Amino acid sequence: MDHPSETDTEPAMSISEAEAVNDTTTKDAADAVVTVTPSKKEATSSQSQQEHVFSPELLKLYYARLFPYSLLGDWLSYTVMSDDHGTTRSTSQQRPFSSKIFSRREFSFTLEPIPGEEIYIRYQSFSNIQELEKAIQRRQPHKIDIGAVFTHPPKDKQAYDPKLFHPVQRELVFDIDLTDYDDIRHCGCTGAKICPKCWTYMTMAVQVMDQGLKEDFGFDHVAWFYSGRRGVHAWICDEEARMLSNEARSAVANYFEVSVGKKNSEGLLSSSSSSVHPMLERAYDVLEPYFCRDVLPADGHGLLATQELWEPLLDSLPAAARDTVGANLKKKWAASVGTSKELSPMDKWKQLLQHLRVKFGLQDENQNDGDANNNSSNNKRPKLSTSASETNKEKHRIAVWPMEVVFLHTYPRLDINVSKMQNHLLKSPFCVHPKTGRVCVPIHVPTVDSFDPFAVPTLNQLARELDEYHAAAAAAAATGTGTSDDKVEHEWQKTSLKSYFEGFRKDFLRPMQKEWRQKERDQAEQDAAMRGDF
Amino acid sequence: MNIVKSSRSSSVPKSVAALDSKNSAATTNINLYQEIPNIEVSLDDFEEFALDRLKVLKKLEQLKMRHVAPEKYKKYLDPLLQKLNDPTKDWISHFVLRLAYCRSEDLRRWFLAQEVALLKYRLSQSNPGSSSNSGGETAITKALKSVLPNVHVLAPEELEPLLPKILAATPSLNMNPLQVGNGRNANSNNNIYRVPFTQALDLVQHRQVFVKKGMAYIPESKLLSLVTARFRSNLSRQLALLSAVPTTPALQRTQGFLKNVATVHAIKDEYLEQGAGTDGVQLTANNVASHVKHMPLCMAQLQMALNKEKHLKHWGRLQYGLFLKGAGLSLEDAMVYFERMFVGKDFNKEYSYNFRHMYGKEGKRANYPPYNCAKIINGNGPNANEHHGCPYKHSTVQDVTAMLNKLGIAPSKQKGIIAQQQSHNYQLACVEHFKAMYPNPPTSVYANDFGNHPNAWFKSSVKASGGADAKMTDSQTIDGKKSNVASGDVDMNDPNSVSP
């Protein structure tokens, strides 16, 4: 979890509090106000805002006008709303639904009333999303965390015997942070710093995990979010996932945990076998192209681009290979540095695999592999012929070494402690990261390759976008060419949050709601059958 | 069960006969104790049955501690198990011990471990190799069906498309299921069972089975672990529930007995009391690092990591912080020390709460005890950049050797340590480490259970080294006499005299 510490306190913001608050109550009126006043300040503010991505004033604006309360409320209710397809809904409208699950959910706020002094309040709960909205607007939390659903509303915790107050359900969550990749990040970033090069690790992680969760565990409702700074979160919301015991959570997390190259590494193979678990095989197919594209070359992490990196890599070969193939290539590559004979990092990798194959009689798996049109397929890891080498342990280790290297440099590094406990808190989606000012936006998995964390809107960018929208609308109104304002249901639709949030609603929320409705219908029919009335 | 009369009766209740006929195949069935006995039992039987079972469980623990190979258990166990041959007696005795052992976490853990070991032994005995008795159903498959009624056996046509993946996931599987797939050979010993993955967590988390769409595919050879896992989780939950149930008047008469039966194994938390500390040493912020030589490897490695990385992650802080607390480091000194060591961190903001919490000054204000070996060994293993846990279990031989070198243990003396580590006797490895440092320790040191608790190790090491580096005023305990301490802290000097 992130610990925001200092905050930018300069109050050089364009939109006044009055407007911001005003705006939620009567949208039409507010629109009118906003379009007139801020446009005057816009010229100065948009420049001065450049370096101020976060401030209490901007946060206030975000909570008042942009935070997608209805999305969060619809999601966390896990109940079908009566007006699901309704287009008239607004955040201030009371909704006739039972918010039972919602009201037993723990929220926690991190407040920072005085810069540098954080107050952390746990065990908050709200009977519905409107109450949560009010509390957020009143307290202006710098961070919101979401915990488990308990037996009783957590705010009444004190009233219950501790034995009777415990978590009953909670999404299965995963937290992946680039901080855990420090030893393999060769782009110059460490800790919370990230760049497009190291972001590819998150791209790989999202794909491997999303596939594994869906195919192996059969989960359908997996939501991914950018954490706002240096990582990603997954929320698995299927009922089966929410009901998992702590032990089952640990098991799922451990299932995905690969300990290659870490402390106490036992490698990918169990000692007695020559096969690799199907989950790892599948992950390898995803990861290997990334390894070739983003890890090996100089414009990636340069694993085989510089002598300082390739020598330790060759030294990590199992002893028999290190002293032969490894020593040999070390000499060869060192001699070729700077000459025309120097191989590209990709070709070095190919050469290394080729030498291992020849020297140790390993079989190229492509011989019986159909997907030859995969453009990097000729780098596939050599595979053992299952016959004579069965007994040769060292040979196994050599055969699996390339796969281990790929995994060491690409496989998702999970913070599994977050996943193991039902009542572990995790930062709420749609929050704003105080250090970057960026919104924790949903990530669309099919297009995760093009997800750019640096393109995620910051608070000041959003403020500017709102201003621009209203300026444009005012201009349009003045010239009589009215834009179709009636399409805007939420203020976030006026900003670049639109595509993120609408994608979330379409790809995650709607399918889940469809399932709830189906379940409700089934239940109703069952009840009717029980009572005997149809 | 009802304890209705205290008068002496025949050692086996009358209802046994009826029960026997109900479970006609009682001898091949293994009771998984899913049903609570509703039988009258005399107070004498109540006690006698429990004691007989306790003997078996204790023997099991002993065999495990002595690293007797499971093949040889028969010789030691069967004479004791004779007494539990009667299914009803077995049944009742299990439930009596549940009552006795549900009362604290340590007791529950002990009971659970031994009961699981007993079940494993019985299943392994009842299912000799692959010879299928009683109509193709082994005791294990029977037991499995009793704990998991909905288990699905894959039909050959279901099995065929999945077989390559099942084999890849479970390589220890011999190729026999192929025959099932191709030749429709209905040999039940090669069945693949499909269960929801939540029923096979242990196999799933170690990636020992194929998992697809939430289902785990379990070969016959892995069923034993499934049954025991299921048994363990059921029993664990039952014990926890039972512990919350208040005593009923009906059980009043048994309270004294139940208490006495169970206290045999109570582990003393002598390191819990504030200021228990370590006699002969006053740990302060300034001398923690110089006491590394008195620390078992799990703590020494945390200190070394702290020196090197100027930081410890969450579990490392807990393991090491509580250890130092138990060794007598005050909260104030702990704060000073860790603030100094965590270079480049905002200690007050990020960690001071953490340390106050450990000392019971925040949150629910619990006085957390230092971790004992069981907790460290069975707890979360360390991930990348983490250094907690038991190095003998969680680190490689290379890493352990490197650390021992750093601590100045001569390579010739490391052999015994490494040998124990390689045979997975983590605590014995730790004892070897102690022996390597103190080949001739005073006898009083040996009385201490330093192989079970890092703080005991620390204490013993200080004692064995004569506490020379500390501000000792009195003569030493080298000769094993405990009369050399004049002050009132005799209790702390000799762990034998500490009574809970």
Side-chain angles (χ1 to χ4, degrees), chain A residues 287-319:
Chain A
L287 295 172
E288 194 258 0
Y290 284 102
F291 178 75
C292 295
R293 200 191 72 192
D294 298 316
V295 177
L296 291 179
D299 61 357
H301 292 270
L303 187 61
L304 286 182
T306 61
Q307 206 166 345
E308 302 89 77
L309 289 177
W310 79 53
E311 295 208 329
L313 183 74
L314 291 174
D315 285 338
S316 73
L317 278 160

Side-chain angles (χ1 to χ4, degrees), chain A residues 27-220:
Chain A
K27 201 166 60 184
D28 290 0
D31 280 355
V33 174
V34 173
T35 47
V36 182
T37 25
S39 55
K40 285 187 288 184
K41 300 177 184 172
E42 197 170 289
T44 49
S45 64
S46 59
Q47 285 143 19
S48 68
Q49 275 169 16
Q50 294 299 328
E51 59 269 31
H52 305 309
V53 288
F54 185 86
S55 75
E57 289 72 21
L58 280 173
L59 189 64
K60 194 160 195 169
L61 165 80
Y62 179 74
Y63 283 143
R65 298 175 57 182
L66 297 171
F67 190 96
Y69 297 101
S70 67
L71 293 182
L72 191 69
D74 286 356
W75 165 19
L76 295 180
S77 69
Y78 291 105
T79 317
V80 194
M81 313 297 165
S82 54
D83 60 346
D84 229 2
H85 336 268
T87 47
T88 54
R89 194 160 62 206
S90 81
T91 50
S92 52
Q93 185 183 326
Q94 276 295 331
R95 257 179 263 139
F97 71 94
S98 137
S99 41
K100 270 185 90 178
I101 293 181
F102 188 89
S103 65
R104 287 181 283 127
R105 169 81 69 169
E106 175 183 356
F107 290 88
S108 83
F109 289 168
T110 306
L111 310 179
E112 202 171 317
I114 304 165
E117 271 189 31
E118 275 179 13
I119 300 173
Y120 193 57
I121 350 174
R122 282 201 65 175
Y123 297 114
Q124 309 238 70
S125 65
F126 307 94
S127 50
N128 53 38
I129 188 69
Q130 290 78 18
E131 255 190 46
L132 173 66
E133 179 177 350
K134 266 184 228 150
I136 290 177
Q137 303 222 14
R138 188 165 58 83
R139 310 194 89 149
Q140 299 290 315
H142 281 208
K143 189 172 155 224
I144 304 167
D145 285 291
I146 299 182
V149 176
F150 286 80
T151 42
H152 305 281
K155 66 178 176 203
D156 305 330
K157 182 173 183 268
Q158 301 305 328
Y160 295 96
D161 182 333
K163 274 181 182 158
L164 300 176
F165 180 85
H166 55 83
V168 286
Q169 60 163 291
R170 153 73 145 150
E171 296 80 5
L172 174 63
V173 292
F174 286 93
D175 180 9
I176 311 172
D177 252 338
L178 272 169
T179 332
D180 293 323
Y181 288 70
D182 279 359
D183 61 314
I184 52 161
R185 287 205 273 176
H186 299 304
C187 49
C189 298
T190 52
K193 198 166 167 285
I194 65 163
C195 70
K197 278 184 198 175
C198 42
W199 185 257
T200 54
Y201 289 128
M202 291 297 108
T203 309
M204 304 176 215
V206 169
Q207 291 181 61
V208 167
M209 291 301 296
D210 195 67
Q211 219 174 31
L213 289 164
K214 287 176 175 164
E215 290 182 16
D216 296 353
F217 292 96
F219 297 134
D220 293 322

Side-chain angles (χ1 to χ4, degrees), chain A residues 482-499:
Chain A
T483 48
S484 51
D485 202 24
D486 48 353
K487 272 183 135 181
V488 174
E489 180 193 346
H490 302 285
E491 293 241 10
W492 49 258
Q493 287 166 321
K494 299 171 182 171
T495 70
S496 53
L497 290 172
K498 183 175 172 182
S499 60

Side-chain angles (χ1 to χ4, degrees), chain B residues 457-474:
Chain B
W457 205 102
F458 182 80
K459 220 165 169 177
S460 302
S461 174
V462 168
K463 205 176 218 178
S465 70
D469 46 344
K471 47 159 190 128
M472 285 297 289
T473 47
D474 31 22

